[in-house]
Amino acid sequence: MLPDPRRRVLRPRSERQVRGRSLECLPALRRRVGLRALRRAPGARTLPGLIAFAILALVAVPAAAHTGERGFILLLPTGLVQVGGTVVVAVSFFIVALCPAGRLRSWLESTRWTLCPLARRSLWLNSLSSAALIGLIVVGFAGSRDPLANPLPLSVWTLAWVGLTLAHAVFGELWPCLNPWAALAAIARRLAGLRAAGGVGPLACPEWLGQWPAVGLLFLFGWFELVHPTPQDPGVLAGVVLAYSTFTVTGMVLFGDAVWNERVEVFSRFFRMVSWVAPLQWGEAGGGGPRKLVLMLPGSRLLSVGTLPVSGVAFVILALAIVSFDGLSRTFWWLHLLGENPLEHPGRTDLVSRNSLGLLGASLSLFAAYSLCAVAGALGSRTRPLGALRGLVVSIVPIAFGYHFAHYLPSFLVDAQYALKALSDPLGQGWNLLGARDLHVTASFLSHHASVTLIWYLQVGAIVGAHVAAVVVAHALMGEQTQRRFAPAVAGAPLAGLMIAYTLFGLWLLSSPVAA
């Protein structure tokens, strides 16, 4: 999953602008494995040269030649790390199972500190976000066609989808203050002569819809990111952002901000979900009263989320499935399964139908696996299956964020530099708004063994730590399902088995060869 720094320097065109672009550096590939040097070396035709070549052929092993840094990763003890990480998650389940679930939950919920009161929220930050959004849409249409020079793709895919997600996992739910559509909806509502009472609009949203509209929009967003041929094309992306903004503002005016953000608006749902793992929470200090900033153990907020509807369960599972399929769809294994040669990648356009089915299949398979494990555990401990299905899914949230962090970390470190540079001169007119127009973007840390090793171990730590946190949260939640002594451990065993298996899958995915 580590990006090739060489392709960051290239200026891709047409279909090669997208994520998962085909291999573009076959000459560089030959240089890495030494074929050109061997062919042109004067002694290559001599007997010693032939003997040396024969020895190399005999001891050759499969090489990950698609990226230099992936080659570094395969020099690491990846097999031992996969086994070790999986064992850590398995051992954590047995250790946690010895702890009474009720006592564990009580300790997690009581370990918190109130830091400071919060000022009343206003729309001035939302107004700034609205102005920034409008400016980015204009730049998307009028600016450079290069996705590494136009601020819109970098702002959407790097600063928002990756950076803002990381910020929510640390600082809590920031989105209500940053939502760019809130201020636009307020302006549209005033122009239409409507008043919003308690976030409710003039139309009522049917209760039976639940959060299914948000689930459908999240799937479409994942499809656009992973399957669409040109998700980073500035013009295409600007059209999509404009259409979604119009749809969202209209919905907020007609149905009310609160209802729309809860059931339909996908980013409100996603960022709220991610904020549940944050150590900082913007909420009540306990017992009512004014909103205060509270510090707690990471992930302990998940214990007070409550039972989600089935549509909420599907949303959490889909968030994990999207980022998992993003990594899987670029592996040599997946391309071989589709009958494609990874070294002759056909491009996204040729894979649209097959990757669409793959994303759908991955989502349904993960939902089915979670449902079977939750129901099996409930039946084994004589608890309500539907209650377990809806109540335990929040334990998956740390895993979804852990994969998000691990998957996007390397590309974020490079693309954040491009974003800063592009925002300094958004229209390519020689401006230097942020003082970074002449910034030299560096990706050299992705070509050095020491830095690549550090990044890889951060990714491993995120995946393993997220699964351990999920095991702890699931066990604590099971204390609410049943009061019997060993019932929480019995009920959580199938789900823990799924988490253990998914740990091994995630670590394999992290170290597998991918087509850049």
Side-chain angles (χ1 to χ4, degrees):
M1 285 186 286
L2 295 176
D4 189 347
R6 293 176 182 268
R7 69 184 177 90
R8 298 291 179 189
V9 178
L10 295 174
R11 289 294 182 263
R13 298 186 182 275
S14 67
E15 187 178 40
R16 290 184 295 177
Q17 290 177 340
V18 303
R19 288 175 180 266
R21 59 178 68 90
S22 59
L23 291 177
E24 302 160 339
C25 303
L26 289 181
L29 172 63
R30 295 212 308 265
R31 285 197 297 272
R32 285 180 191 146
V33 298
L35 296 179
R36 178 178 295 181
L38 181 61
R39 184 172 64 248
R40 295 182 179 179
R45 296 185 177 88
T46 64
L47 181 60
L50 294 175
I51 295 175
F53 180 80
I55 294 175
L56 288 174
L58 290 174
V59 300
V61 295
H66 59 290
T67 58
E69 66 277 359
R70 184 68 68 173
F72 287 150
I73 287 179
L74 292 185
L75 295 177
L76 302 174
T78 55
L80 295 177
V81 171
Q82 293 175 32
V83 174
T86 306
V87 170
V88 166
V89 177
V91 170
S92 69
F93 168 72
F94 289 105
I95 294 176
V96 170
L98 299 177
C99 178
R103 185 177 302 176
L104 175 62
R105 176 168 185 161
S106 177
W107 177 75
L108 290 174
E109 291 181 329
S110 62
T111 307
R112 59 181 61 196
W113 302 268
T114 301
L115 300 181
C116 62
L118 297 174
R120 185 177 179 180
R121 186 171 69 87
S122 64
L123 285 177
W124 69 273
L125 277 177
N126 301 93
S127 301
L128 291 177
S129 296
S130 300
L133 177 65
I134 294 172
L136 287 172
I137 293 174
V138 172
V139 170
F141 285 120
S144 171
R145 299 298 89 198
D146 186 347
L148 295 180
N150 192 301
L152 179 61
L154 294 164
S155 296
V156 171
W157 299 119
T158 302
L159 301 184
W161 183 234
V162 182
L164 200 53
T165 299
L166 301 182
H168 276 76
V170 177
F171 301 107
E173 191 177 6
L174 304 172
W175 186 247
C177 299
L178 301 176
N179 187 341
W181 301 296
L184 296 176
I187 295 173
R189 193 179 294 114
R190 177 166 297 185
L191 293 176
L194 300 175
R195 297 182 61 185
V200 179
L203 299 182
C205 186
E207 291 290 337
W208 55 266
L209 275 179
Q211 298 175 16
W212 288 114
V215 174
L217 287 173
L218 180 61
F219 182 85
L220 291 177
F221 176 81
W223 181 90
F224 180 67
E225 181 197 8
L226 307 181
V227 181
H228 189 276
T230 55
Q232 289 197 25
D233 181 89
V236 173
L237 185 58
V240 171
V241 174
L242 179 59
Y244 183 77
S245 299
T246 304
F247 169 75
T248 300
V249 171
T250 303
M252 293 172 73
V253 171
L254 295 179
F255 296 96
D257 295 9
V259 173
W260 192 262
N261 291 335
E262 176 67 24
R263 300 187 183 182
V264 182
E265 210 287 288
V266 61
F267 300 106
S268 296
R269 291 297 315 164
F270 178 80
F271 288 131
R272 180 179 303 170
M273 179 193 74
V274 174
S275 71
W276 292 340
V277 306
L280 293 174
Q281 296 294 327
W282 305 63
E284 304 293 339
R291 287 167 53 87
K292 295 185 178 181
L293 185 62
V294 180
L295 176 65
M296 58 181 62
L297 295 176
S300 59
R301 170 73 174 85
L302 294 164
L303 301 176
S304 58
V305 169
T307 300
L308 299 181
V310 176
S311 54
V313 174
F315 189 92
V316 173
I317 298 299
L318 181 58
L320 175 58
I322 287 174
V323 70
S324 299
F325 183 75
D326 190 3
L328 179 66
S329 64
R330 288 184 284 163
T331 61
F332 281 20
W333 178 87
W334 175 259
L335 293 173
H336 176 72
L337 185 65
L338 298 183
E340 301 291 346
N341 184 351
L343 297 181
E344 297 178 357
H345 198 288
R348 281 196 172 201
T349 302
D350 194 53
L351 299 177
V352 166
S353 58
R354 287 175 285 179
N355 277 344
S356 298
L357 292 175
L359 177 60
L360 179 61
S363 304
L364 295 177
S365 299
L366 187 56
F367 184 84
Y370 165 77
S371 301
L372 288 175
C373 291
V375 171
L379 294 176
S381 59
R382 299 179 182 179
T383 58
R384 295 188 305 169
L386 185 58
L389 176 72
R390 298 169 56 191
L392 293 178
V393 71
V394 294
S395 65
I396 302 295
V397 174
I399 301 177
F401 168 71
Y403 275 73
H404 196 96
F405 171 83
H407 180 71
Y408 292 111
L409 175 61
S411 60
F412 177 77
L413 295 175
V414 176
D415 286 346
Q417 302 175 67
Y418 279 107
L420 183 61
K421 184 174 182 178
L423 288 170
S424 294
D425 187 14
L427 293 174
Q429 300 297 316
W431 302 342
N432 197 12
L433 302 178
L434 303 180
R437 182 192 61 189
D438 300 320
L439 173 69
H440 175 69
V441 177
T442 177
S444 59
F445 54 88
L446 297 179
S447 300
H448 295 287
H449 186 273
S451 55
V452 169
T453 302
L454 175 61
I455 292 173
W456 193 73
Y457 279 119
L458 286 175
Q459 294 172 293
V460 170
I463 291 177
V464 175
H467 282 83
V468 171
V471 168
V472 173
V473 171
H475 184 71
L477 288 171
M478 284 308 305
E480 190 179 48
Q481 301 284 333
T482 177
Q483 301 298 323
R484 303 169 67 184
R485 178 174 178 80
F486 295 107
V490 174
L495 185 57
L498 176 62
M499 294 176 179
I500 293 170
Y502 217 80
T503 304
L504 182 60
F505 168 74
L507 296 177
W508 169 81
L509 203 62
L510 191 64
S511 55
S512 294
V514 297

